[in-house]
Amino acid sequence: MAAEAALLDEFRRLRARVPQLTGALAAGVDGLVLAHDTPGVEPDGLAALTAAALGVATRVTDATGRGDFRELLMRGTGGYVATYAAGRTAVLTLLAEDGVNVGRLHLEGRRAGARIGELVDAEAALPRRNPAESSAKEPARPMPTRTRSTRAARTAANARTTTES
């Protein structure tokens, strides 16, 4: 992936702004690693777990009518794991020490997620240059966005009663 160097540069700048970060990972929503800086943490496993958590978080936000997924924060005894939406096809997962300023983590994580999303989405939009690939293959599609329609208010004119049936 050509954008990997740009993603690693974004991780470096993010660590400069939030010194309590201990790791950063960009992954596709399918659980594949795009770029990582996760000393002591196996990136493929973290990316797969991030995809699983993303699936659950997306279903929870949908089921509760809270809209599209934006972020997920988990706290353990040793620190935080924060996951942020990064464009249409990626997520950013940050690992931080327990003493991190959570407000600062969110501020910088959201900004970095937006920048990473722009990089990943721009690369996904580029045509493939490998002539060995079949032209019959479809390009990767972005995650579908779901919208909810509002229910029309019931009025006396359209409400049925048990005696009218």
Side-chain angles (χ1 to χ4, degrees):
M1 172 178 205
E4 183 176 6
L7 296 176
L8 292 172
D9 189 50
E10 183 62 37
F11 293 165
R12 183 189 53 74
R13 290 193 311 269
L14 185 58
R15 279 183 179 246
R17 292 188 305 267
V18 184
Q20 296 83 10
L21 281 183
T22 60
L25 174 126
V29 295
D30 56 1
L32 296 177
V33 175
L34 301 175
H36 70 91
D37 177 14
T38 55
V41 177
E42 200 273 313
D44 291 324
L46 179 59
L49 289 169
T50 295
L54 173 66
V56 172
T58 300
R59 290 188 64 171
V60 170
T61 57
D62 188 46
T64 57
R66 299 300 184 244
D68 293 333
F69 170 80
R70 293 289 176 244
E71 60 196 37
L72 173 66
L73 180 68
M74 294 171 273
R75 181 177 182 209
T77 56
Y80 291 89
V81 178
T83 299
Y84 301 92
R88 296 182 310 247
T89 60
V91 291
L92 168 66
T93 296
L94 302 177
L95 309 175
E97 297 172 357
D98 193 40
V100 71
N101 178 327
V102 176
R104 180 70 178 209
L105 177 67
H106 281 319
L107 175 71
E108 298 297 344
R110 290 170 187 150
R111 288 179 179 168
R115 283 189 294 274
I116 288 169
E118 290 171 1
L119 290 167
V120 172
D121 290 347
E123 180 153 317
L126 293 175
R128 297 192 184 267
R129 297 174 199 229
N130 186 350
E133 286 193 17
S134 168
S135 61
K137 282 188 177 180
E138 292 184 32
R141 293 188 180 134
M143 283 187 356
T145 55
R146 296 177 62 180
T147 58
R148 291 184 176 260
S149 57
T150 57
R151 290 186 182 180
R154 294 189 89 176
T155 64
N158 69 5
R160 292 182 61 182
T161 64
T162 56
T163 58
E164 294 176 355
S165 40

